[in-house]
Amino acid sequence: MINLIRPYLSPRVYPLLLLGLASGLPLALTGGTLQAWATVEDVPLKEIGFLTLVGAAYTFKFLWAPLIDRYMPPFLGRRRGWMALSQIFLGLAICGMGLLDPSRSLFWLAALATLVAFLSATQDIAFDAYSADVLRHEERAAGAAIRTLGYRVGMIASGGLAIWLAAVWTGWGSMYILMGLLMFGAAVLTWLAPEPEVTGANDAPRTLYDAFTVPFQEFFSRKGALSILALIVLYKLGDAFAGALSTTFLIRGAGFSPEVVGTVNKILAVIATIVGALIGGGIMGKLGLYRSLMLFGLLQALSNLMYTMIALHPQHLPLMALGVGFENLCGGLGTAAFVALLMALCHVQFTASQFALLSALSAVGRVFVAGPLTPPIVEAYGWPLFFVFTFFIALPGLLVLWLMRAEIKGLEKDPSPAVRTSAAD
């Protein structure tokens, strides 16, 4: 037990828990929670489906990530400075969402949600780069797991907990204002976090041209670069489809009230996420990156089938609780391994640009494929068959992973992928 806990006590690892929570907090506020708000206000399903497009910033964040690599704020360093700035503006924008009503001002609410997504993506750029830079090689599995735990707890806090708060206590607008205030506290946590000690962490590209070109030249010069991109896009595609309208499904498709959905997410999802993150870090340390990715990817795909059972047995609370808990457990495992993979692929001088490119590609399926396509598939085939489809949608990513097993295992042997020679050297 001591050996399991010790990696999480490193001063470079445990701060990632709360910083990860701050990173995950805005996502549900422009996704599942916004869906729930629109659903209870009787917004049509197709309009709810297209609300997922407000998250496009997560897909395109690689376009301005080079600016995060190139320029350094006058305080807190190259990574923490950008994190603090984005957190302050996120607090303001999220509070602004609380002043609107989806039944009357859906367009303006969606526009402000798009701004929140942009600021959240900027925070993610800086936080992802900070995580990759601050962790030592031997801390990467624990760091990936603990920041995944924080990220998913942040999503649950702004998802299940936020829905519960809005339904039984604060109302929707006040809840959004409360979540906005939490982002101001995140800036204080960023100020207290340690600076990266890895060589080159604060070495910015020499020119703006270098910032926009060299990171991508370095990445695409690697063997198997296109296969890596395919893996990044496909690995969590089935999970993206299953989660695209999961809140709407539980309320409208399975017949549960927003209070029940929020309560189950608030309790069981948190427990499952904590267990999944801690187990995931331990398993990755023993199995290695490739076998962890394969095992967790299979579990992710299987967890989608639990929603088929929920759809076939509506208003069956124990089954719904089991399905939500299992999905959060498996999703946390898969995300932890996926984040460890992205960390291993980044060069320290261009961490923001390369991590943003890779993580943005992973959002392609969620934003541009799963969101728009889920409503017509559900309307044509129904919820039970839809979730069966999501299981098969997950399989191509696992096939690509298997085909790339030699390359992924090679990353495990590299003691310091973050300092490999780049095209800029």
Side-chain angles (χ1 to χ4, degrees), residues 18-239:
L18 293 178
L19 293 174
L21 190 153
S23 183
L25 194 73
L27 182 60
L29 296 176
T30 60
T33 300
L34 188 59
Q35 290 176 24
W37 192 5
T39 299
V40 299
E41 295 292 338
D42 294 323
V43 174
L45 182 61
K46 289 185 178 180
E47 293 184 20
I48 295 174
F50 279 98
L51 278 178
T52 59
L53 294 176
V54 304
Y58 293 102
T59 302
F60 292 113
K61 62 185 178 181
F62 68 91
L63 294 176
W64 68 92
L67 298 175
I68 308 300
D69 273 333
R70 175 66 181 89
Y71 297 108
M72 183 187 303
F75 53 86
L76 298 184
R78 190 158 66 126
R79 305 307 185 196
R80 293 188 301 141
W82 282 113
M83 289 164 61
L85 281 174
S86 59
Q87 287 158 354
I88 291 170
F89 285 108
L90 271 167
L92 295 172
I94 293 171
C95 287
M97 290 181 67
L99 304 177
L100 300 174
D101 184 340
S103 64
R104 299 178 180 178
S105 306
L106 185 63
F107 173 81
W108 294 111
L109 182 61
L112 195 52
T114 301
L115 175 61
V116 169
F118 170 79
L119 294 169
S120 177
T122 302
Q123 178 189 209
D124 287 352
I125 292 169
F127 175 60
D128 291 339
Y130 174 78
S131 301
D133 291 348
V134 78
L135 293 171
R136 296 174 181 174
H137 173 70
E138 65 273 14
E139 296 170 340
R140 192 172 292 145
I146 203 70
R147 59 159 277 165
T148 298
L149 168 58
Y151 192 88
R152 291 185 71 85
V153 169
M155 290 177 60
I156 292 166
S158 60
L161 177 59
I163 292 171
W164 180 84
L165 286 174
V168 304
W169 186 32
T170 63
W172 291 98
S174 297
M175 178 274 293
Y176 267 82
I177 291 174
L178 175 62
M179 294 295 160
L181 294 177
L182 291 177
M183 292 307 304
F184 293 119
V188 177
L189 298 175
T190 296
W191 174 60
L192 296 173
E195 266 291 286
E197 62 184 20
V198 63
T199 302
N202 278 318
D203 294 340
R206 292 184 294 270
T207 67
L208 191 59
Y209 176 80
D210 285 348
F212 274 91
T213 59
V214 177
F216 306 105
Q217 292 173 0
E218 192 278 334
F219 180 84
F220 285 102
S221 67
R222 302 179 196 174
K223 180 181 178 181
L226 295 180
S227 297
I228 291 174
L229 297 184
L231 174 62
I232 297 302
V233 172
L234 295 174
Y235 183 73
K236 292 186 74 68
L237 186 59
D239 203 41

Side-chain angles (χ1 to χ4, degrees), residues 21 38 41 45 47 74 81 152 261 268-269 280 311 332 358 362 401 420:
L21 190 153
E41 295 292 338
L45 182 61
E47 293 184 20
R152 291 185 71 85
V261 173
L268 287 181
L358 297 175
S362 71
L401 175 63
R420 64 167 66 88

